Amino acid sequence: MNRFTRLIFFLLILPSLIFAQENESPKNIILLIGDGMGLNYVSADVLKHNNSPFKRFSTVGLAITKSIDDLITDSAAAATAIATGYPTKNRYIAMDTSYNKLYTIFEHAEKLGLLTGVVVTGEIVGATPAAFVTHHYNRSEKREIAEQFLNIDIDVVIGGGAKYFLPSDSSHSDKDKINLVDELKSKGYNIYYDFNGLFKSVSSDKVFALLDDEGLPETVKRDYSLGDLTSLALKHLAANEKGFLLMVEGAQIDWAGHDENVNYLLSEMDDFSTALKVAIDFAEKEGNTLVLVTADHETGGMTITDGSFDGENLKIEFLNSHHTAGFVGVFAYGPGEKLFGGIYENYLIGRKIFHLMDESYQFSSNH
Ligand SMILES: [Zn+2]
């Protein structure tokens, strides 16, 4: 380059290249949520494992997690913020404080012709996945939340919580007698109750896998990882030429935090990392895929107070067994990643995802 062409490059071409990279829209989005995974949870993973997949993310942001009226959020309000782009009250599932449904990134993805999927280690009617696909003012109404899975054309559902879809043995009301699995079958879903059956599913199937009655067994008590489940979901979603939106939740990271159980916490973080690795490997291989990792809140005021220099034998302590208001990380890799740097409220994660899927999407100021 002579001096003149170099000048043209720096003045005209380089800014447009940077602009294009920052505003590039991904074809596929994989959103991974570590429930309760505050920054120190990530610190522990990175200190313990030199090759932690968290190190592969090139853009990092920090999200403020408070709900609309409470400094300390629960999973329902935080997942609603991420799923809809609006803050709400604790316990509300994709619903505003006037009981209006809040439109979710999953509903919009379906409208745009993307395939959609959720993979969780808790119940699929749990607050986090529920906020992406259903609407309710009370996260505990799991039977009603289960019914709403029939209202959306989600393509892959993998997790626990079978008992909310099957007739209950001790029926207290007519509702308990409803067999939602029959209705799911008539909607074209293949139903799976164990990992081996799911493993044999073919890529064109619509999948509904209810792998346990409640949450899945903790990771050390099952012979498949969240990464294995994520791979299976990708097998079903990746063929769509318009792309897909997949949400993966490491639900039991939070449960370990509430229990103040260090071994449980570290093994669930390892399990979550298997999914991170699968997602980022997929994005590297296929391109056109944004991988986002975040959390709904921190649990337990967890901190690392001692340990050996190589990260072995970490001494981990908890302040209490509740959620806290600490920042959570937002780790981004792929087209559009630059949007996720900085410090911002968690509902902006949802807004950024809406805009990456659909540049013309407008938010109303009514909520
Ligand atoms: Zn919790």
Side-chain angles (χ1 to χ4, degrees):
M1 267 194 253
N2 64 30
R3 201 188 298 172
F4 179 70
T5 50
R6 212 168 356 186
L7 189 68
I8 294 289
F9 180 78
F10 281 114
L11 285 181
L12 298 175
I13 299 171
L14 187 62
S16 66
L17 283 177
I18 291 169
F19 183 82
Q21 196 189 2
E22 286 184 1
N23 289 278
E24 217 177 338
S25 289
K27 175 182 162 197
N28 311 309
I29 299 177
I30 307 174
L31 168 65
L32 301 108
I33 299 179
D35 202 305
M37 186 184 71
L39 288 173
N40 284 341
Y41 288 60
V42 179
S43 308
D45 195 75
V46 171
L47 289 172
K48 261 185 73 188
H49 304 293
N50 212 9
N51 60 349
S52 164
F54 283 99
K55 287 177 161 177
R56 293 167 67 185
F57 290 86
S58 29
T59 297
V60 179
L62 297 171
I64 299 160
T65 63
K66 62 187 180 184
S67 62
I68 210 166
D69 61 348
D70 200 328
L71 184 71
I72 310 297
T73 192
D74 73 344
S75 296
T80 296
I82 297 168
T84 72
Y86 291 101
T88 191
K89 279 187 180 175
N90 287 352
R91 306 196 63 75
Y92 284 50
I93 301 281
M95 197 168 257
D96 73 10
T97 52
S98 311
Y99 306 103
N100 299 305
K101 288 180 184 177
L102 293 168
Y103 188 62
T104 76
I105 52 173
F106 267 58
E107 288 163 329
H108 201 56
E110 290 288 338
K111 194 173 156 194
L112 296 173
L114 307 186
L115 292 185
T116 51
V118 293
V119 178
V120 299
T121 56
E123 295 170 342
I124 62 166
V125 294
T128 303
F132 289 83
V133 277
T134 70
H135 306 270
H136 208 288
Y137 58 86
N138 181 0
R139 60 182 285 177
S140 303
E141 295 291 338
K142 293 183 181 176
R143 198 79 196 166
E144 286 182 28
I145 288 168
E147 281 175 36
Q148 290 188 32
F149 273 79
L150 287 150
N151 300 347
I152 183 171
D153 205 22
I154 186 168
D155 301 281
V156 175
V157 176
I158 303 174
K163 70 176 192 181
Y164 299 103
F165 292 84
L166 293 164
S168 138
D169 296 336
S170 53
S171 315
H172 298 296
S173 70
D174 285 349
K175 270 213 150 55
D176 291 336
K177 294 177 194 144
I178 298 172
N179 186 341
L180 294 175
V181 166
D182 285 344
E183 294 184 43
L184 288 166
K185 281 182 189 160
S186 66
K187 272 198 82 175
Y189 285 102
N190 288 53
I191 313 289
Y192 302 94
Y193 295 105
D194 58 62
F195 180 76
N196 291 336
L198 175 64
F199 190 74
K200 291 178 196 132
S201 61
V202 293
S203 60
S204 55
D205 286 352
K206 273 178 74 167
V207 167
F208 215 100
L210 295 160
L211 302 180
D212 216 293
D213 236 17
E214 297 181 332
L216 303 190
E218 61 182 272
T219 183
V220 295
K221 292 180 183 156
R222 58 181 141 85
D223 52 10
Y224 55 89
S225 67
L226 186 57
D228 294 330
L229 299 179
T230 304
S231 292
L232 283 169
L234 289 172
K235 177 176 94 176
H236 292 277
L237 299 172
N240 190 33
E241 62 184 37
K242 284 191 173 168
F244 65 82
L245 173 60
L246 170 65
M247 194 283 285
V248 177
E249 186 202 13
Q252 300 192 31
I253 298 168
D254 176 62
W255 305 356
H258 284 292
D259 287 356
E260 304 182 36
N261 182 330
V262 174
N263 289 336
Y264 185 16
L265 185 155
L266 294 175
S267 60
E268 291 303 318
M269 281 299 296
D270 286 347
D271 187 44
F272 187 64
S273 290
T274 63
L276 245 65
K277 185 173 182 310
V278 165
I280 208 160
D281 284 350
F282 177 89
E284 271 182 5
K285 185 161 164 268
E286 302 293 326
N288 293 329
T289 303
L290 173 67
V291 182
L292 276 177
V293 185
T294 190
D296 45 1
H297 52 74
E298 197 276 346
T299 302
M302 177 276 222
T303 191
I304 303 157
T305 54
D306 204 355
S308 55
F309 186 71
D310 62 2
E312 286 301 309
N313 310 311
L314 293 180
K315 186 178 180 204
I316 287 175
E317 297 185 87
F318 299 86
L319 185 65
N320 60 36
S321 58
H322 307 297
H323 298 173
T324 70
F327 281 140
V328 294
V330 183
F331 305 85
Y333 173 90
E337 66 173 62
K338 292 284 183 275
L339 284 176
F340 295 90
I343 298 179
Y344 45 86
E345 308 243 12
N346 59 358
Y347 67 86
L348 292 176
I349 299 171
R351 294 194 176 206
K352 291 168 200 285
I353 296 173
F354 264 112
H355 282 143
L356 282 171
M357 288 198 299
D358 180 355
E359 248 174 72
S360 65
Y361 190 79
Q362 298 285 334
F363 286 88
S364 92
S365 50
N366 293 338
H367 295 292

